[in-house]
Amino acid sequence: MVVSQTSLKAYMDLITNPVLLNANQRIVLDVFEKLCPNQPLSNFDLSLILEWPINRVTPRVLELRTAGKLVHVGYKTQLQTGKRVMLWMATWQWDGMFIDINYGGCENKWM
């Protein structure tokens, strides 16, 4: 069986770096790393920050959770909707505390 060089390279990339992020996943993760470091955010918060529809944010969050990049850290009541929402943080930023807050997050202008 002959394996093309591009297939071999892709296989080696997966072995050496098992979690490769696509562009949209990277954008979402950058919010946690650069815009709002150490801040728990909901999908709704991410939607407001990125100016993306919620149905574009939610799948990216699920993919990042599945890849072990985001972790569920608690709940808050979303000010705009009055609903209780789940909060996420980058895995390496989480201190292990589970939180339940009524407001807060990164830059209250978004919340």
Side-chain angles (χ1 to χ4, degrees):
M1 177 175 174
V2 176
V3 178
S4 72
Q5 288 300 315
T6 54
S7 294
L8 186 58
K9 182 186 179 326
Y11 176 74
M12 293 308 291
D13 286 345
L14 283 174
I15 289 176
T16 57
N17 188 5
V19 181
L20 300 174
L21 302 179
N22 67 38
N24 286 333
Q25 292 167 340
R26 183 76 255 168
I27 290 168
V28 171
L29 201 54
D30 281 348
V31 171
F32 289 96
E33 291 178 345
K34 298 174 183 169
L35 279 178
C36 305
N38 301 310
Q39 294 293 322
L41 298 171
S42 70
N43 290 354
F44 188 83
D45 298 333
L46 289 165
S47 177
L48 292 175
I49 292 166
L50 294 170
E51 298 179 355
W52 287 1
I54 193 73
N55 62 346
R56 184 175 175 192
V57 171
T58 303
R60 302 304 74 81
V61 169
L62 176 60
E63 292 162 0
L64 291 167
R65 287 174 38 219
T66 302
K69 301 290 185 181
L70 294 181
V71 63
H72 174 228
V73 298
Y75 298 93
K76 78 171 183 177
T77 301
Q78 194 70 48
L79 295 178
Q80 293 86 344
T81 64
K83 294 185 178 185
R84 191 171 187 212
V85 296
M86 297 174 84
L87 296 172
W88 314 107
M89 284 185 79
T91 304
W92 57 91
Q93 295 173 336
W94 188 43
D95 62 5
M97 296 287 291
F98 196 76
I99 55 178
D100 195 346
I101 56 178
N102 291 322
Y103 61 91
C106 169
E107 298 292 326
N108 282 332
K109 66 180 181 180
W110 287 316
M111 306 311 159

